Amino acid sequence: MIFFENISKMYKPDTVALKNVSFQIGANGNEFVSIVGKSGAGKTTLIRLLLREEEPTSGKIIYGGKNIAEIKNKDLSIFRQKIGCVFQDYRLLPNKTVFENVAYAMEVMGATDYEILRDVPRLLEIVGLEDRAKHFPLGLSGGEKQRTAIARALAVRPEVIIADEPTGNLDPYHTRDIINLLEKIYDLGATVILATHDKAIINSLSRRVITLDNGEIIRDEEKGRFIL
Amino acid sequence: MFTFLRRVIRFGWHNFWRAGGLNVATVFVLIVTISLITTLFISEGAVKHIIAQIKEKIDISVYVAPETSNEEMEIIKDRLVEMPEVQAVSIVSKEDALEQFRERHKNDPVLLESLDIVGTNPFYASLNIRANDPEQYAAILEVLNSSSLDDIIYKVDYVEKKTVIEKLSGFITNVNTGGLLMALALGVVAVLVAFNTIRVAIYDASKEISIMRLVGAPNRFIRGPFIVQGMIAGAIAALASFFILLLVSYFLAPKIDAMTNGFNVFSWFKARAFGLFFVQLASGIALGVISSLIAIRKYLTA
Ligand SMILES: Nc1ncnc2c1ncn2[C@@H]1O[C@H](COP(=O)(O)OP(=O)(O)O)[C@@H](O)[C@H]1O
Ligand SMILES: [Mg+2]
């Protein structure tokens, strides 16, 4: 369902972030794919291209059979609602409680109050934050913030969850938590794309791994390991 | 649509009360702006009062020939009163004039003595004319001179007062245009400051805006709460500056009364409270909303 076809991305003063990258995700149902590589390898750039926050310098990205470059600006928000995102810095709205942050994603896509009251508690239960519903992000631990972000990403029932270094700010204990949660989401039927440079995570997962180095794919293996 | 509005209002409300700092700054700047605009209205009222006071004090006297009878004076008075330019006419008889002179110089025995020496009443009877507007005296005199009254009129003191009257007319016009220009300039400055504060507040929120977009919020969902926030800030600022000015005018009323010779700010304020509050509310909300809209535009492209 996701194709990257010969994607290259250059940033202005001849920085090459991605070089002729091609791959395919989700050909046979949902997948759990890790994208690994040193810092600066191009992982975030790849994700930003998929979300159409950046335009590729050359190449095509096909999502669900459509070239995403052809999505009109006004339909962009609808497109992004199909993809749930999780980032290293959580990106929660500071003036909203945990409950409201999760509900927000549903509210903006026009979910009814009934659906929100039905789904949000369930999502908070999945990520184990039922008792933090009324807390503001400022008072939460890193792990709790990230679980809130994941619950929010799940709220729109996305086909794909993208997590860019979701454990970058977390200790090993909470890291394990988050990765377990992502596997649970995969088991529930979503495609998960996990970008990380955490060796321990990758080696414990034994799932597909795409390895980037200097903007190029140097390895793409089922049940891959972290080798650089 | 109803759900959308309800949510947008709730988001704006939450953002306003939970964000603290910059909203306080915004409200503060709006209070200053709105108070300034209102103060300009009040000063206009005060200036009008002062000008009216001065106008009250200007008149011209038409002295009539000694042999003119009281009936003739009444006829002239009636004619003058009919003119649209004339506000009031009063007759000062010879006796009145003498009485006024004695009253004015009662501490000057030499002068009074010399009156007694003259033996007769040396004063002329006169008509005091007050025009609606100082600029109209010339027209009134025109009529007096060209009419059949000419031989009855002994002397008009307009020539002596002419320069004063003309200067005053000029002064009043200057105060009016000058005041208007100053009000405009101050208003523009205040509005720019308010715009800028709100722009900074929204710049501060640019990270949040990018999060909202990331979660898939359509533009109207991002813009809406900011507009609501602007409205809340404007309304609160209007309310605050209304009560601040009400208090200030209450406490300053005696001072301003003395300074302006009888302009009571507090009663002036009370008499117009409703209209003033409406102006404050409207300008507060308009400022808040328009500057929110302008400031946020740049974060909503694409
Ligand atoms: N906005 C940008 N402008 C210029 N260069 C950028 C920008 N974003 C990323 N880069 C460069 O592109 C390369 C890849 O960055 P990135 O995709 O963030 O790597 P990663 O996420 O794997 O650490 C780096 O050399 C980085 O400096
Ligand atoms: Mg990165």
Side-chain angles (χ1 to χ4, degrees):
Chain A
M1 59 185 304
I2 299 170
F3 294 94
F4 271 58
E5 288 183 17
N6 307 314
I7 289 292
S8 293
K9 175 69 186 174
M10 322 257 276
Y11 286 108
K12 281 280 150 59
D14 50 53
T15 316
V16 183
L18 288 175
K19 251 180 277 178
N20 205 26
V21 167
S22 298
F23 61 88
Q24 181 180 345
I25 292 174
N28 318 302
N30 66 320
E31 244 189 296
F32 191 120
V33 184
S34 302
I35 297 173
V36 305
K38 293 189 285 245
S39 154
K43 306 181 291 293
T44 299
T45 304
L46 197 145
I47 286 166
R48 288 172 60 81
L49 289 172
L50 178 56
L51 291 169
R52 232 194 81 177
E53 285 184 34
E54 299 272 2
E55 312 262 317
T57 312
S58 66
K60 266 198 295 195
I61 299 170
I62 311 286
Y63 183 101
K66 275 203 201 120
N67 185 345
I68 66 164
E70 282 159 16
I71 298 171
K72 294 195 187 71
N73 275 343
K74 66 174 170 60
D75 299 326
L76 209 52
S77 62
I78 296 166
F79 167 69
R80 289 190 181 135
Q81 282 165 6
K82 289 188 219 158
I83 304 175
C85 290
V86 180
F87 300 92
Q88 179 171 353
D89 56 358
Y90 322 121
R91 303 203 190 169
L92 299 174
L93 296 167
N95 295 321
K96 293 189 192 298
T97 61
V98 166
F99 187 98
E100 288 165 352
N101 261 287
V102 177
Y104 184 77
M106 298 179 73
E107 284 168 322
V108 298
M109 60 172 273
T112 63
D113 292 348
Y114 171 77
E115 290 168 324
I116 289 167
L117 289 175
R118 181 194 62 196
D119 290 355
V120 176
R122 216 180 276 173
L123 289 161
L124 291 181
E125 204 176 312
I126 291 176
V127 300
L129 284 178
E130 309 94 297
D131 55 337
R132 292 282 185 275
K134 290 203 166 82
H135 289 232
F136 285 94
L138 199 64
L140 298 179
S141 75
E144 287 168 335
K145 283 184 204 170
Q146 197 58 291
R147 281 187 278 151
T148 307
I150 292 174
R152 179 181 65 187
L154 291 175
V156 296
R157 302 168 180 271
E159 301 157 342
V160 179
I161 289 269
I162 298 176
D164 189 4
E165 315 262 11
T167 59
N169 290 334
L170 301 180
D171 58 44
Y173 174 76
H174 286 110
T175 295
R176 197 59 248 168
D177 251 15
I178 297 299
I179 299 303
N180 287 344
L181 197 49
L182 290 176
E183 291 206 87
K184 187 158 143 195
I185 291 164
Y186 165 69
D187 291 336
L188 291 171
T191 287
V192 176
I193 300 175
L194 167 66
T196 183
H197 59 256
D198 187 325
K199 187 174 179 177
I201 296 175
I202 298 306
N203 291 342
S204 71
L205 271 173
S206 94
R207 296 193 186 274
R208 180 175 170 197
V209 175
I210 297 175
T211 309
L212 280 177
D213 191 34
N214 267 327
E216 286 179 289
I217 295 185
I218 55 169
R219 219 174 279 115
D220 183 351
E221 304 168 316
E222 295 302 321
K223 300 199 185 295
R225 294 186 60 80
F226 191 95
I227 308 164
L228 269 175
Chain B
M1 192 61 203
F2 177 68
T3 310
F4 166 72
L5 276 181
R6 197 162 44 79
R7 285 177 184 172
V8 159
I9 291 170
R10 182 158 44 83
F11 292 161
W13 182 260
H14 280 168
N15 280 349
F16 182 83
W17 292 107
R18 293 172 181 174
L22 264 166
N23 282 324
V24 174
T26 306
V27 169
F28 186 75
V29 168
L30 283 175
I31 288 177
V32 173
T33 310
I34 296 170
S35 301
L36 191 68
I37 293 173
T38 321
T39 311
L40 292 173
F41 274 96
I42 296 177
S43 335
E44 207 222 339
V47 168
K48 270 200 182 133
H49 174 85
I50 295 172
I51 289 173
Q53 287 266 306
I54 296 172
K55 280 185 186 169
E56 284 277 299
K57 296 220 162 80
I58 304 180
D59 58 5
I60 54 172
S61 301
V62 176
Y63 297 94
V64 297
E67 58 278 4
T68 313
S69 69
N70 282 346
E71 290 75 46
E72 278 173 308
M73 299 260 295
E74 288 293 343
I75 293 169
I76 302 172
K77 179 184 168 182
D78 289 346
R79 243 196 251 177
L80 285 169
V81 168
E82 272 169 29
M83 293 175 62
E85 293 92 347
V86 174
Q87 194 187 64
V89 179
S90 60
I91 296 175
V92 180
S93 66
K94 286 169 73 110
E95 294 73 31
D96 292 339
L98 179 65
E99 201 44 51
Q100 280 174 17
F101 184 87
R102 281 189 192 283
E103 182 60 30
R104 215 173 327 159
H105 299 286
K106 61 172 179 268
N107 298 326
D108 192 343
V110 180
L111 256 183
L112 294 180
E113 221 167 286
S114 62
L115 256 187
D116 290 337
I117 292 167
V118 170
T120 57
N121 182 347
F123 293 99
Y124 288 88
S126 65
L127 289 154
N128 284 339
I129 305 171
R130 191 180 307 135
N132 286 317
D133 202 298
E135 285 163 36
Q136 291 165 338
Y137 285 112
I140 295 172
L141 283 173
E142 193 96 355
V143 173
L144 279 177
N145 288 334
S146 61
S147 68
S148 53
L149 302 170
D150 207 27
D151 47 340
I152 303 177
I153 294 170
Y154 166 73
K155 180 173 157 264
V156 180
D157 69 352
Y158 179 66
V159 186
E160 293 133 55
K161 288 187 179 170
K162 195 174 181 222
T163 46
V164 178
I165 291 173
E166 277 171 358
K167 269 193 191 149
L168 194 69
S169 302
F171 171 73
I172 291 170
T173 330
N174 283 344
V175 166
N176 280 338
T177 47
L180 194 73
L181 283 180
M182 203 169 88
L184 268 176
L186 279 177
V188 167
V189 169
V191 167
L192 286 179
V193 171
F195 271 5
N196 211 45
T197 313
I198 292 178
R199 207 170 56 86
V200 170
I202 289 184
Y203 172 75
D204 190 64
S206 64
K207 200 172 152 218
E208 274 171 66
I209 294 172
S210 74
I211 296 173
M212 294 171 186
R213 290 197 13 217
L214 204 78
V215 175
N219 281 350
R220 65 202 169 102
F221 253 110
I222 300 173
R223 197 184 296 122
F226 280 102
I227 295 174
V228 172
Q229 259 180 283
M231 287 171 88
I232 297 174
I236 290 178
L239 213 63
S241 74
F242 180 79
F243 284 107
I244 290 171
L245 286 178
L246 197 66
L247 270 179
V248 168
S249 71
Y250 177 75
F251 285 110
L252 286 187
K255 269 211 174 116
I256 293 175
D257 195 305
M259 255 162 54
T260 57
N261 199 4
F263 178 68
N264 190 323
V265 221
F266 189 61
S267 350
W268 189 91
F269 203 100
K270 265 197 318 198
R272 291 161 185 74
F274 200 74
L276 279 177
F277 182 65
F278 182 77
V279 169
Q280 294 182 318
L281 198 65
S283 51
I285 290 178
L287 274 175
V289 169
I290 294 171
S291 36
S292 293
L293 278 177
I294 293 175
I296 201 161
R297 220 176 31 174
K298 117 171 151 227
Y299 300 107
L300 289 183
T301 44

